[in-house]
Amino acid sequence: MMPPNRGVRAAASYKSLIQARVPPKDNGRRKHNDNSHFYAARVRYCLEMAAKLGSRALVYSADNKNKIRVGDDTLAVDRRITIRRFFPINDSPSYLDHDFPIPGYSLTPAGYLELLPTSIPAFTVDPLGRSHYVTPGKGRATVVLRSPHSPNNVASHLNDLVHHLRIPARVAEGRRLLVLLVDGGPDFNPSHGVNELHYGRFFRDMNLDCFIVTSYCPGESALNPVEHLWAPCTQALTSVYLPATLPGEDIPPSRQRIPAEERKRKEDLVFDAAMEAVKEVHWRNVRFAGCKISVEVEPSGAQPHPYGHDFDHIKEVVGSSARRLHNSDIIDDYSFVSGHIDKRIGTTIFTKCTRSSCLHCSTNPPLLAAADMDILRMFPSPLPSPAHPSHFMTFLEAVSAPRCRPCEHLPQFAAKGLGRCPVVGCRYVFTSRKDVDDHRRKVHQR
């Protein structure tokens, strides 16, 4: 047999006559998807645009981690994870022979990894000899913990950007482009109508010149840089039990015969204590990409602010009839979003417009250079390279070439056969038959 590791002295004992060995575990295999190349090229375009703007751009990779369980009789993370920490011989971890999870007792961490463009744009060359901007590198990561008594949706993530990542202050410093690299889950999906409305509100309220929300191809979320943050976080919670009981009690609040209001009050205390333990003890010194991660705690049951107080109302109205929408209290927000959105499959772009009738954009004109705003308003869609078959043009080539129609060369676009909105000036690519009907009735009602 071949040695498992050629770098150790014991490898000399292996004759290697049979080309076989115990392999390392590899989780890198993914199903083939014809759309992958297009999605990856578009993400690259977005990152290179941020690199072009340098200190005037912000880039974040965002995602949720698997739940962290709270319970005296169940481990916080999977018991099969290898222990990699030292313990005294007589004090090594001893797990219960079964997990006994308490339904609903779990914490949800949301992660945000800042990707840092160089202050002055730098260039690199690919194997084909083509020039590219150096894409933003990994910076500091922030993890926000929430209990099951706190909502976890697009609105809560936007609240994290406001409170924990200080986006308003950074925009005031001159950061006028925000790129958010997300996955296709319901919390972040840029193609969901409810999410679009919240993203549009955020774009307006933060006074951004441009806001891009993009993702890799479905099934390839592992390419999102923040995904790699969860490995050290999970490892730090190995062999940890987070108590589900209050001091002096031996029964979790959910199993006590007490009024619902009292049960919720006690559970909030349990979840707050568990989140503080994760923050101050288990994740206190966790590092990623050379930086210590920042852990924030949202108090259990706290009301969301500034977004989310009307999330259920928005979800209901956006999913209802055109008549109800046009008679609702969110129609002004909906109209604003419709007038500034560049909707594509897997990507949504908001840019300030040039219409004199738009109060927001006319009173808050963009601070980015006119040439950069022209690129953002007509952001290039990946176009096959005539010089290099099976490759797309680079970003630098695409911004100099005549624009193709958005998603024109995305296989998924051709397969769906839904097309784009034919109304002049409307930048909207349809993602479903229902999307076609809703857009025509709600945005271009006759």
Side-chain angles (χ1 to χ4, degrees):
M1 296 288 186
M2 298 176 64
N5 187 344
R6 292 184 181 275
V8 299
R9 183 177 300 177
S13 301
Y14 290 80
K15 302 302 182 182
S16 299
L17 299 178
I18 301 175
Q19 299 294 299
R21 65 179 178 183
V22 177
K25 187 171 68 171
D26 182 3
N27 295 328
R29 182 182 175 188
R30 291 185 288 272
K31 292 183 179 179
H32 174 73
N33 191 316
D34 291 337
N35 303 293
S36 299
H37 190 187
F38 183 95
Y39 273 82
R42 187 170 56 191
V43 169
R44 175 92 193 193
Y45 282 14
C46 296
L47 296 179
E48 288 200 47
M49 184 68 212
K52 181 179 187 300
L53 294 177
S55 60
R56 293 170 292 172
L58 286 169
V59 185
Y60 284 96
S61 170
D63 187 31
N64 285 341
K65 182 192 181 301
N66 289 338
K67 307 287 187 180
I68 298 174
R69 291 173 294 187
V70 178
D72 299 83
D73 300 327
T74 185
L75 287 164
V77 296
D78 197 306
R79 63 174 56 245
R80 291 169 292 185
I81 296 174
T82 303
I83 299 175
R84 299 188 183 279
R85 289 180 292 168
F86 292 98
F87 290 87
I89 293 176
N90 296 324
D91 192 28
S92 59
S94 178
Y95 302 157
L96 296 171
D97 60 353
H98 287 79
D99 282 334
F100 300 95
I102 304 172
Y105 274 38
S106 57
L107 311 177
T108 304
Y112 307 90
L113 173 64
E114 184 170 8
L115 304 179
L116 301 171
T118 56
S119 56
I120 299 176
F123 296 90
T124 186
V125 177
D126 68 14
L128 299 176
R130 304 179 302 173
S131 183
H132 298 262
Y133 284 106
V134 174
T135 53
K138 295 176 183 176
R140 188 170 186 178
T142 300
V143 178
V144 181
L145 295 170
R146 280 188 172 80
S147 84
H149 287 175
S150 299
N152 190 58
N153 51 44
V154 64
S156 61
H157 299 312
L158 295 178
N159 289 336
D160 292 342
L161 296 182
V162 172
H163 298 302
H164 302 300
L165 303 182
R166 302 188 305 108
I167 296 300
R170 305 196 71 184
V171 173
E173 294 169 356
R175 310 272 186 160
R176 310 299 294 189
L177 166 67
L178 173 61
V179 177
L180 200 59
L181 180 55
V182 300
D183 64 12
D187 288 358
F188 289 105
N189 195 312
S191 297
H192 287 184
V194 175
N195 292 0
E196 289 171 10
L197 185 65
H198 282 87
Y199 286 140
R201 278 181 166 182
F202 182 82
F203 159 74
R204 178 197 62 199
D205 297 345
M206 298 299 105
N207 195 23
L208 290 162
D209 289 350
C210 181
F211 181 27
I212 301 176
V213 186
T214 191
S215 65
Y216 282 101
C217 187
E220 297 191 339
S221 61
L223 298 177
N224 197 352
V226 74
E227 288 278 358
H228 302 280
L229 165 67
W230 302 129
C233 290
T234 300
Q235 190 66 54
L237 286 173
T238 304
S239 72
V240 170
Y241 287 93
L242 297 173
T245 54
L246 294 175
E249 298 183 351
D250 55 6
I251 301 176
S254 65
R255 295 173 181 166
Q256 298 178 15
R257 294 184 178 181
I258 54 179
E261 185 176 341
E262 176 67 8
R263 180 182 302 114
K264 181 181 181 302
R265 185 188 69 80
K266 285 189 172 185
E267 287 180 339
D268 284 338
L269 295 175
V270 167
F271 298 140
D272 284 342
M275 290 189 288
E276 283 297 326
V278 172
K279 175 183 177 179
E280 299 295 343
V281 179
H282 308 294
W283 285 358
R284 182 173 183 176
N285 296 310
V286 174
R287 301 178 69 85
F288 179 72
C291 300
K292 184 177 176 181
I293 67 169
S294 175
V295 183
E296 306 290 343
V297 171
E298 282 292 309
S300 180
Q303 291 300 308
H305 177 78
Y307 304 101
H309 62 280
D310 57 352
F311 180 84
D312 292 335
H313 173 63
I314 290 175
K315 186 175 181 179
E316 181 181 358
V317 172
V318 169
S320 63
S321 67
R323 175 176 294 181
R324 181 176 179 187
L325 172 64
H326 284 272
N327 291 329
S328 72
D329 57 347
I330 68 169
I331 185 57
D332 290 340
D333 287 351
Y334 193 89
S335 299
F336 175 86
V337 170
S338 301
H340 295 81
I341 192 172
D342 182 350
K343 161 72 176 299
R344 309 181 184 190
I345 298 175
T347 294
T348 294
I349 304 171
F350 295 92
T351 51
K352 285 185 176 176
C353 67
T354 57
R355 298 188 305 271
S356 59
S357 58
C358 177
L359 181 62
H360 173 74
C361 298
S362 58
T363 56
N364 301 281
L367 298 184
L368 292 177
D372 292 327
M373 287 303 301
D374 288 342
I375 296 173
L376 293 167
R377 288 180 179 131
M378 292 293 293
F379 198 75
S381 185
L383 185 68
S385 172
H388 303 283
S390 76
H391 290 271
F392 287 107
M393 287 185 177
T394 69
F395 174 73
L396 289 169
E397 292 171 341
V399 296
S400 301
R403 298 289 194 272
C404 66
R405 293 181 295 177
C407 300
E408 182 73 17
H409 299 282
L410 174 62
Q412 183 181 357
F413 174 78
K416 285 179 176 289
L418 298 170
R420 311 171 188 81
C421 179
V423 176
V424 176
C426 185
R427 303 171 296 170
Y428 200 95
V429 176
F430 299 125
T431 55
S432 68
R433 175 53 57 186
K434 183 177 185 301
D435 193 28
V436 176
D437 296 336
D438 284 349
H439 181 77
R440 289 173 177 169
R441 289 186 293 108
K442 295 177 180 178
V443 178
H444 303 299
Q445 188 180 43
R446 297 178 180 177

PDB file of all heavy atoms in Angstrom, residues 176 200-209 336 340 351-353 355-366:
ATOM      1  N   ARG A 176     -19.827  54.386  -1.596  1.00  0.00           N
ATOM      2  CA  ARG A 176     -21.103  54.602  -2.290  1.00  0.00           C
ATOM      3  C   ARG A 176     -21.633  53.372  -3.019  1.00  0.00           C
ATOM      4  O   ARG A 176     -22.763  53.370  -3.482  1.00  0.00           O
ATOM      5  CB  ARG A 176     -20.955  55.750  -3.288  1.00  0.00           C
ATOM      6  CG  ARG A 176     -20.343  57.018  -2.711  1.00  0.00           C
ATOM      7  CD  ARG A 176     -21.154  57.601  -1.592  1.00  0.00           C
ATOM      8  NE  ARG A 176     -22.445  58.090  -2.054  1.00  0.00           N
ATOM      9  CZ  ARG A 176     -23.293  58.800  -1.311  1.00  0.00           C
ATOM     10  NH1 ARG A 176     -22.975  59.078  -0.056  1.00  0.00           N
ATOM     11  NH2 ARG A 176     -24.437  59.221  -1.794  1.00  0.00           N
ATOM     12  N   GLY A 200     -34.554  47.302  -1.751  1.00  0.00           N
ATOM     13  CA  GLY A 200     -34.783  48.632  -2.314  1.00  0.00           C
ATOM     14  C   GLY A 200     -34.937  49.693  -1.244  1.00  0.00           C
ATOM     15  O   GLY A 200     -34.431  50.820  -1.389  1.00  0.00           O
ATOM     16  N   ARG A 201     -35.627  49.375  -0.171  1.00  0.00           N
ATOM     17  CA  ARG A 201     -35.743  50.310   0.959  1.00  0.00           C
ATOM     18  C   ARG A 201     -34.362  50.629   1.534  1.00  0.00           C
ATOM     19  O   ARG A 201     -34.036  51.776   1.820  1.00  0.00           O
ATOM     20  CB  ARG A 201     -36.605  49.680   2.065  1.00  0.00           C
ATOM     21  CG  ARG A 201     -38.111  49.788   1.884  1.00  0.00           C
ATOM     22  CD  ARG A 201     -38.768  49.128   3.082  1.00  0.00           C
ATOM     23  NE  ARG A 201     -40.184  49.451   3.186  1.00  0.00           N
ATOM     24  CZ  ARG A 201     -40.964  49.023   4.164  1.00  0.00           C
ATOM     25  NH1 ARG A 201     -40.460  48.263   5.127  1.00  0.00           N
ATOM     26  NH2 ARG A 201     -42.253  49.352   4.207  1.00  0.00           N
ATOM     27  N   PHE A 202     -33.566  49.583   1.709  1.00  0.00           N
ATOM     28  CA  PHE A 202     -32.236  49.757   2.276  1.00  0.00           C
ATOM     29  C   PHE A 202     -31.377  50.642   1.366  1.00  0.00           C
ATOM     30  O   PHE A 202     -30.679  51.551   1.839  1.00  0.00           O
ATOM     31  CB  PHE A 202     -31.588  48.387   2.469  1.00  0.00           C
ATOM     32  CG  PHE A 202     -30.226  48.413   3.083  1.00  0.00           C
ATOM     33  CD1 PHE A 202     -30.068  48.513   4.453  1.00  0.00           C
ATOM     34  CD2 PHE A 202     -29.090  48.328   2.298  1.00  0.00           C
ATOM     35  CE1 PHE A 202     -28.808  48.531   5.032  1.00  0.00           C
ATOM     36  CE2 PHE A 202     -27.828  48.352   2.858  1.00  0.00           C
ATOM     37  CZ  PHE A 202     -27.690  48.446   4.231  1.00  0.00           C
ATOM     38  N   PHE A 203     -31.424  50.387   0.063  1.00  0.00           N
ATOM     39  CA  PHE A 203     -30.681  51.198  -0.907  1.00  0.00           C
ATOM     40  C   PHE A 203     -31.047  52.670  -0.786  1.00  0.00           C
ATOM     41  O   PHE A 203     -30.180  53.552  -0.761  1.00  0.00           O
ATOM     42  CB  PHE A 203     -30.988  50.677  -2.313  1.00  0.00           C
ATOM     43  CG  PHE A 203     -30.735  51.656  -3.415  1.00  0.00           C
ATOM     44  CD1 PHE A 203     -29.448  51.969  -3.823  1.00  0.00           C
ATOM     45  CD2 PHE A 203     -31.799  52.280  -4.065  1.00  0.00           C
ATOM     46  CE1 PHE A 203     -29.222  52.880  -4.855  1.00  0.00           C
ATOM     47  CE2 PHE A 203     -31.583  53.188  -5.086  1.00  0.00           C
ATOM     48  CZ  PHE A 203     -30.289  53.491  -5.486  1.00  0.00           C
ATOM     49  N   ARG A 204     -32.329  52.944  -0.657  1.00  0.00           N
ATOM     50  CA  ARG A 204     -32.799  54.335  -0.539  1.00  0.00           C
ATOM     51  C   ARG A 204     -32.407  54.935   0.804  1.00  0.00           C
ATOM     52  O   ARG A 204     -31.860  56.044   0.859  1.00  0.00           O
ATOM     53  CB  ARG A 204     -34.321  54.364  -0.703  1.00  0.00           C
ATOM     54  CG  ARG A 204     -34.963  55.741  -0.550  1.00  0.00           C
ATOM     55  CD  ARG A 204     -36.455  55.600  -0.323  1.00  0.00           C
ATOM     56  NE  ARG A 204     -36.729  54.861   0.910  1.00  0.00           N
ATOM     57  CZ  ARG A 204     -37.900  54.278   1.182  1.00  0.00           C
ATOM     58  NH1 ARG A 204     -38.889  54.332   0.308  1.00  0.00           N
ATOM     59  NH2 ARG A 204     -38.064  53.632   2.329  1.00  0.00           N
ATOM     60  N   ASP A 205     -32.650  54.212   1.887  1.00  0.00           N
ATOM     61  CA  ASP A 205     -32.423  54.761   3.220  1.00  0.00           C
ATOM     62  C   ASP A 205     -30.936  55.000   3.505  1.00  0.00           C
ATOM     63  O   ASP A 205     -30.583  55.940   4.214  1.00  0.00           O
ATOM     64  CB  ASP A 205     -32.996  53.824   4.284  1.00  0.00           C
ATOM     65  CG  ASP A 205     -34.510  53.669   4.176  1.00  0.00           C
ATOM     66  OD1 ASP A 205     -35.140  54.485   3.479  1.00  0.00           O
ATOM     67  OD2 ASP A 205     -35.045  52.723   4.774  1.00  0.00           O
ATOM     68  N   MET A 206     -30.079  54.162   2.952  1.00  0.00           N
ATOM     69  CA  MET A 206     -28.633  54.316   3.172  1.00  0.00           C
ATOM     70  C   MET A 206     -28.028  55.356   2.231  1.00  0.00           C
ATOM     71  O   MET A 206     -26.862  55.698   2.356  1.00  0.00           O
ATOM     72  CB  MET A 206     -27.910  52.985   2.993  1.00  0.00           C
ATOM     73  CG  MET A 206     -28.309  51.887   3.970  1.00  0.00           C
ATOM     74  SD  MET A 206     -28.005  52.288   5.707  1.00  0.00           S
ATOM     75  CE  MET A 206     -29.694  52.631   6.246  1.00  0.00           C
ATOM     76  N   ASN A 207     -28.815  55.821   1.268  1.00  0.00           N
ATOM     77  CA  ASN A 207     -28.339  56.806   0.281  1.00  0.00           C
ATOM     78  C   ASN A 207     -27.141  56.277  -0.502  1.00  0.00           C
ATOM     79  O   ASN A 207     -26.172  56.992  -0.769  1.00  0.00           O
ATOM     80  CB  ASN A 207     -27.986  58.137   0.950  1.00  0.00           C
ATOM     81  CG  ASN A 207     -27.852  59.271  -0.061  1.00  0.00           C
ATOM     82  OD1 ASN A 207     -28.405  59.213  -1.167  1.00  0.00           O
ATOM     83  ND2 ASN A 207     -27.116  60.310   0.290  1.00  0.00           N
ATOM     84  N   LEU A 208     -27.208  55.009  -0.864  1.00  0.00           N
ATOM     85  CA  LEU A 208     -26.174  54.411  -1.703  1.00  0.00           C
ATOM     86  C   LEU A 208     -26.346  54.871  -3.145  1.00  0.00           C
ATOM     87  O   LEU A 208     -27.464  55.101  -3.608  1.00  0.00           O
ATOM     88  CB  LEU A 208     -26.262  52.886  -1.637  1.00  0.00           C
ATOM     89  CG  LEU A 208     -25.857  52.225  -0.317  1.00  0.00           C
ATOM     90  CD1 LEU A 208     -26.414  50.812  -0.245  1.00  0.00           C
ATOM     91  CD2 LEU A 208     -24.334  52.210  -0.181  1.00  0.00           C
ATOM     92  N   ASP A 209     -25.251  54.982  -3.859  1.00  0.00           N
ATOM     93  CA  ASP A 209     -25.348  55.249  -5.296  1.00  0.00           C
ATOM     94  C   ASP A 209     -25.705  53.979  -6.048  1.00  0.00           C
ATOM     95  O   ASP A 209     -26.385  54.021  -7.079  1.00  0.00           O
ATOM     96  CB  ASP A 209     -24.030  55.804  -5.829  1.00  0.00           C
ATOM     97  CG  ASP A 209     -23.774  57.226  -5.342  1.00  0.00           C
ATOM     98  OD1 ASP A 209     -24.693  57.827  -4.755  1.00  0.00           O
ATOM     99  OD2 ASP A 209     -22.649  57.725  -5.529  1.00  0.00           O
ATOM    100  N   PHE A 336     -41.049  52.955  -5.877  1.00  0.00           N
ATOM    101  CA  PHE A 336     -39.647  53.383  -5.865  1.00  0.00           C
ATOM    102  C   PHE A 336     -38.740  52.221  -6.273  1.00  0.00           C
ATOM    103  O   PHE A 336     -37.834  52.394  -7.101  1.00  0.00           O
ATOM    104  CB  PHE A 336     -39.248  53.885  -4.475  1.00  0.00           C
ATOM    105  CG  PHE A 336     -37.797  54.237  -4.357  1.00  0.00           C
ATOM    106  CD1 PHE A 336     -37.343  55.502  -4.721  1.00  0.00           C
ATOM    107  CD2 PHE A 336     -36.872  53.299  -3.901  1.00  0.00           C
ATOM    108  CE1 PHE A 336     -35.983  55.822  -4.634  1.00  0.00           C
ATOM    109  CE2 PHE A 336     -35.515  53.620  -3.810  1.00  0.00           C
ATOM    110  CZ  PHE A 336     -35.077  54.883  -4.179  1.00  0.00           C
ATOM    111  N   HIS A 340     -36.121  51.678  -9.786  1.00  0.00           N
ATOM    112  CA  HIS A 340     -34.666  51.716  -9.630  1.00  0.00           C
ATOM    113  C   HIS A 340     -34.015  50.343  -9.705  1.00  0.00           C
ATOM    114  O   HIS A 340     -32.804  50.236  -9.566  1.00  0.00           O
ATOM    115  CB  HIS A 340     -34.299  52.374  -8.292  1.00  0.00           C
ATOM    116  CG  HIS A 340     -34.689  53.811  -8.197  1.00  0.00           C
ATOM    117  ND1 HIS A 340     -35.970  54.216  -7.899  1.00  0.00           N
ATOM    118  CD2 HIS A 340     -33.967  54.953  -8.395  1.00  0.00           C
ATOM    119  CE1 HIS A 340     -36.025  55.544  -7.896  1.00  0.00           C
ATOM    120  NE2 HIS A 340     -34.824  56.011  -8.186  1.00  0.00           N
ATOM    121  N   THR A 351     -29.651  51.268  -8.690  1.00  0.00           N
ATOM    122  CA  THR A 351     -28.804  52.424  -8.962  1.00  0.00           C
ATOM    123  C   THR A 351     -29.653  53.689  -8.934  1.00  0.00           C
ATOM    124  O   THR A 351     -30.852  53.659  -9.238  1.00  0.00           O
ATOM    125  CB  THR A 351     -28.130  52.329 -10.347  1.00  0.00           C
ATOM    126  OG1 THR A 351     -29.129  52.041 -11.345  1.00  0.00           O
ATOM    127  CG2 THR A 351     -27.068  51.260 -10.369  1.00  0.00           C
ATOM    128  N   LYS A 352     -29.020  54.786  -8.572  1.00  0.00           N
ATOM    129  CA  LYS A 352     -29.707  56.069  -8.633  1.00  0.00           C
ATOM    130  C   LYS A 352     -30.006  56.417 -10.090  1.00  0.00           C
ATOM    131  O   LYS A 352     -29.185  56.168 -10.978  1.00  0.00           O
ATOM    132  CB  LYS A 352     -28.869  57.157  -7.971  1.00  0.00           C
ATOM    133  CG  LYS A 352     -28.870  57.074  -6.456  1.00  0.00           C
ATOM    134  CD  LYS A 352     -28.124  58.229  -5.815  1.00  0.00           C
ATOM    135  CE  LYS A 352     -28.243  58.159  -4.287  1.00  0.00           C
ATOM    136  NZ  LYS A 352     -27.456  59.219  -3.629  1.00  0.00           N
ATOM    137  N   CYS A 353     -31.189  56.982 -10.303  1.00  0.00           N
ATOM    138  CA  CYS A 353     -31.641  57.253 -11.669  1.00  0.00           C
ATOM    139  C   CYS A 353     -31.314  58.694 -12.064  1.00  0.00           C
ATOM    140  O   CYS A 353     -30.784  59.482 -11.273  1.00  0.00           O
ATOM    141  CB  CYS A 353     -33.137  56.990 -11.784  1.00  0.00           C
ATOM    142  SG  CYS A 353     -34.152  58.150 -10.843  1.00  0.00           S
ATOM    143  N   ARG A 355     -33.841  60.605 -13.564  1.00  0.00           N
ATOM    144  CA  ARG A 355     -35.138  61.249 -13.800  1.00  0.00           C
ATOM    145  C   ARG A 355     -35.295  62.460 -12.874  1.00  0.00           C
ATOM    146  O   ARG A 355     -35.115  62.346 -11.663  1.00  0.00           O
ATOM    147  CB  ARG A 355     -36.290  60.270 -13.552  1.00  0.00           C
ATOM    148  CG  ARG A 355     -36.282  59.058 -14.468  1.00  0.00           C
ATOM    149  CD  ARG A 355     -37.563  58.235 -14.298  1.00  0.00           C
ATOM    150  NE  ARG A 355     -37.774  57.841 -12.918  1.00  0.00           N
ATOM    151  CZ  ARG A 355     -37.305  56.725 -12.382  1.00  0.00           C
ATOM    152  NH1 ARG A 355     -36.569  55.895 -13.100  1.00  0.00           N
ATOM    153  NH2 ARG A 355     -37.554  56.414 -11.124  1.00  0.00           N
ATOM    154  N   SER A 356     -35.666  63.582 -13.446  1.00  0.00           N
ATOM    155  CA  SER A 356     -35.887  64.781 -12.631  1.00  0.00           C
ATOM    156  C   SER A 356     -37.112  64.635 -11.746  1.00  0.00           C
ATOM    157  O   SER A 356     -37.246  65.325 -10.737  1.00  0.00           O
ATOM    158  CB  SER A 356     -36.045  66.007 -13.544  1.00  0.00           C
ATOM    159  OG  SER A 356     -37.131  65.827 -14.440  1.00  0.00           O
ATOM    160  N   SER A 357     -38.016  63.726 -12.121  1.00  0.00           N
ATOM    161  CA  SER A 357     -39.230  63.516 -11.334  1.00  0.00           C
ATOM    162  C   SER A 357     -38.984  62.688 -10.080  1.00  0.00           C
ATOM    163  O   SER A 357     -39.867  62.582  -9.223  1.00  0.00           O
ATOM    164  CB  SER A 357     -40.293  62.822 -12.198  1.00  0.00           C
ATOM    165  OG  SER A 357     -39.800  61.579 -12.683  1.00  0.00           O
ATOM    166  N   CYS A 358     -37.801  62.078  -9.971  1.00  0.00           N
ATOM    167  CA  CYS A 358     -37.487  61.254  -8.797  1.00  0.00           C
ATOM    168  C   CYS A 358     -36.927  62.151  -7.708  1.00  0.00           C
ATOM    169  O   CYS A 358     -35.804  62.662  -7.821  1.00  0.00           O
ATOM    170  CB  CYS A 358     -36.483  60.161  -9.164  1.00  0.00           C
ATOM    171  SG  CYS A 358     -35.978  59.151  -7.755  1.00  0.00           S
ATOM    172  N   LEU A 359     -37.687  62.358  -6.651  1.00  0.00           N
ATOM    173  CA  LEU A 359     -37.287  63.255  -5.577  1.00  0.00           C
ATOM    174  C   LEU A 359     -36.018  62.774  -4.889  1.00  0.00           C
ATOM    175  O   LEU A 359     -35.119  63.564  -4.591  1.00  0.00           O
ATOM    176  CB  LEU A 359     -38.427  63.393  -4.566  1.00  0.00           C
ATOM    177  CG  LEU A 359     -38.167  64.324  -3.373  1.00  0.00           C
ATOM    178  CD1 LEU A 359     -37.924  65.752  -3.853  1.00  0.00           C
ATOM    179  CD2 LEU A 359     -39.338  64.277  -2.395  1.00  0.00           C
ATOM    180  N   HIS A 360     -35.928  61.469  -4.644  1.00  0.00           N
ATOM    181  CA  HIS A 360     -34.767  60.943  -3.918  1.00  0.00           C
ATOM    182  C   HIS A 360     -33.473  61.183  -4.691  1.00  0.00           C
ATOM    183  O   HIS A 360     -32.499  61.711  -4.150  1.00  0.00           O
ATOM    184  CB  HIS A 360     -34.940  59.443  -3.655  1.00  0.00           C
ATOM    185  CG  HIS A 360     -33.734  58.798  -3.056  1.00  0.00           C
ATOM    186  ND1 HIS A 360     -33.358  58.974  -1.740  1.00  0.00           N
ATOM    187  CD2 HIS A 360     -32.780  57.973  -3.608  1.00  0.00           C
ATOM    188  CE1 HIS A 360     -32.248  58.292  -1.495  1.00  0.00           C
ATOM    189  NE2 HIS A 360     -31.873  57.683  -2.610  1.00  0.00           N
ATOM    190  N   CYS A 361     -33.445  60.800  -5.942  1.00  0.00           N
ATOM    191  CA  CYS A 361     -32.202  60.872  -6.722  1.00  0.00           C
ATOM    192  C   CYS A 361     -31.866  62.304  -7.137  1.00  0.00           C
ATOM    193  O   CYS A 361     -30.684  62.648  -7.251  1.00  0.00           O
ATOM    194  CB  CYS A 361     -32.305  59.978  -7.954  1.00  0.00           C
ATOM    195  SG  CYS A 361     -32.516  58.221  -7.546  1.00  0.00           S
ATOM    196  N   SER A 362     -32.882  63.139  -7.344  1.00  0.00           N
ATOM    197  CA  SER A 362     -32.599  64.523  -7.738  1.00  0.00           C
ATOM    198  C   SER A 362     -32.087  65.348  -6.556  1.00  0.00           C
ATOM    199  O   SER A 362     -31.298  66.277  -6.737  1.00  0.00           O
ATOM    200  CB  SER A 362     -33.852  65.176  -8.332  1.00  0.00           C
ATOM    201  OG  SER A 362     -34.927  65.155  -7.404  1.00  0.00           O
ATOM    202  N   THR A 363     -32.526  65.017  -5.350  1.00  0.00           N
ATOM    203  CA  THR A 363     -32.051  65.747  -4.162  1.00  0.00           C
ATOM    204  C   THR A 363     -30.810  65.107  -3.542  1.00  0.00           C
ATOM    205  O   THR A 363     -30.139  65.722  -2.712  1.00  0.00           O
ATOM    206  CB  THR A 363     -33.157  65.833  -3.092  1.00  0.00           C
ATOM    207  OG1 THR A 363     -33.599  64.504  -2.761  1.00  0.00           O
ATOM    208  CG2 THR A 363     -34.329  66.655  -3.598  1.00  0.00           C
ATOM    209  N   ASN A 364     -30.516  63.856  -3.932  1.00  0.00           N
ATOM    210  CA  ASN A 364     -29.315  63.153  -3.451  1.00  0.00           C
ATOM    211  C   ASN A 364     -28.557  62.598  -4.650  1.00  0.00           C
ATOM    212  O   ASN A 364     -28.491  61.374  -4.843  1.00  0.00           O
ATOM    213  CB  ASN A 364     -29.695  62.013  -2.502  1.00  0.00           C
ATOM    214  CG  ASN A 364     -30.461  62.491  -1.285  1.00  0.00           C
ATOM    215  OD1 ASN A 364     -29.873  63.000  -0.344  1.00  0.00           O
ATOM    216  ND2 ASN A 364     -31.773  62.328  -1.314  1.00  0.00           N
ATOM    217  N   PRO A 365     -27.982  63.452  -5.475  1.00  0.00           N
ATOM    218  CA  PRO A 365     -27.314  62.966  -6.688  1.00  0.00           C
ATOM    219  C   PRO A 365     -26.127  62.073  -6.342  1.00  0.00           C
ATOM    220  O   PRO A 365     -25.521  62.208  -5.273  1.00  0.00           O
ATOM    221  CB  PRO A 365     -26.858  64.257  -7.375  1.00  0.00           C
ATOM    222  CG  PRO A 365     -26.762  65.265  -6.274  1.00  0.00           C
ATOM    223  CD  PRO A 365     -27.844  64.911  -5.310  1.00  0.00           C
ATOM    224  N   PRO A 366     -25.801  61.134  -7.229  1.00  0.00           N
ATOM    225  CA  PRO A 366     -24.677  60.224  -6.952  1.00  0.00           C
ATOM    226  C   PRO A 366     -23.357  60.964  -6.839  1.00  0.00           C
ATOM    227  O   PRO A 366     -23.123  61.963  -7.527  1.00  0.00           O
ATOM    228  CB  PRO A 366     -24.690  59.277  -8.157  1.00  0.00           C
ATOM    229  CG  PRO A 366     -25.451  59.991  -9.216  1.00  0.00           C
ATOM    230  CD  PRO A 366     -26.448  60.843  -8.513  1.00  0.00           C
TER     231      PRO A 366
END
